[in-house]
């Protein structure tokens, strides 16, 4: 199977219930620090090749944090990711603080994190704001990723 056929197969047959594998076209982003929101955890397999992939989860309680930590641990372990790279905060501004502290290059959020994405977009030029993608229901993950990075999944 050629690389093109593999990419076509990954993008046309991938569903939320199937494990997703990273594409060879992500080489450019392998050294990047990437943050995804917990709401996108079912797509993390597409980015498993990234050197530094973090998951940020908004939580309201310790119980919710433990549940999300367990889900991340299972997902990360199955993909060979670092299970400790999940970060928790209680507010949208917490996402911004984490992204700034880690010097993130790419942030992928769900619509309910739009406030955080707007704050990150307004960071001063000296702070090197990250590229931001909002994954809406009507848009698929792959097309938003491609718009943000120029890389095809």
């Amino acid at each position: 199977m050629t690389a093109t056929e593999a990419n076509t197969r990954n993008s046309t047959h991938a569903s939320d219930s199937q494990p997703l594998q990273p594409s060879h076209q992500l080489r450019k982003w392998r050294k990047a620090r990437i943050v995804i929101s917990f709401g996108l955890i079912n797509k993390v397999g597409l980015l498993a090749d990234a050197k530094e992939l973090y998951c940020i989860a908004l939580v309201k309680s310790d119980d919710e944090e433990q549940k999300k930590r367990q889900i991340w641990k299972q997902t990360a372990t199955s993909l060979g990711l670092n299970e400790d790279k999940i970060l928790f905060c209680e507010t949208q501004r917490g996402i911004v603080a984490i992204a700034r502290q880690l010097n993130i290059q790419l942030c992928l959020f769900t619509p309910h994190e739009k406030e955080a994405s707007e704050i990150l977009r307004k960071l001063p030029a000296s702070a090197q704001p990250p590229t931001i993608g909002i994954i809406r229901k009507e848009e698929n993950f792959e097309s938003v990723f491609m718009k943000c990075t120029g890389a095809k999944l």
Side-chain angles (χ1 to χ4, degrees), residues 100-134:
R100 241 187 312 193
Q101 189 69 28
L102 293 174
N103 193 24
I104 298 300
Q105 284 94 29
L106 175 66
C107 296
L108 299 170
F109 295 134
T110 56
H112 74 277
E113 290 139 347
K114 188 170 176 147
E115 178 188 337
S117 70
E118 292 304 316
I119 295 168
L120 281 168
R121 287 180 206 273
K122 294 176 184 174
L123 288 176
S126 62
Q128 297 182 353
T131 301
I132 298 163
I134 303 293

Side-chain angles (χ1 to χ4, degrees), residues 46-63:
L46 290 167
L47 302 173
D49 216 15
K51 180 182 175 187
E52 293 192 54
L53 177 66
Y54 296 87
C55 180
I56 296 180
L58 289 170
V59 295
K60 303 252 186 258
S61 68
D62 290 343
D63 288 340

Side-chain angles (χ1 to χ4, degrees), residues 12-31:
T12 57
H13 296 293
S15 72
D16 291 347
S17 62
Q18 296 175 331
L20 301 170
Q21 299 301 317
S23 162
H24 73 282
Q25 296 178 349
L26 298 178
R27 287 185 192 122
K28 176 181 172 183
W29 291 91
R30 283 185 180 159
K31 295 180 182 177

Side-chain angles (χ1 to χ4, degrees), residues 41 68-80 83:
I41 197 167
K68 288 185 176 182
R69 185 181 303 279
Q70 188 60 34
I71 293 168
W72 172 256
K73 184 177 180 178
Q74 291 170 352
T75 303
T77 302
S78 71
L79 293 169
E83 64 186 55

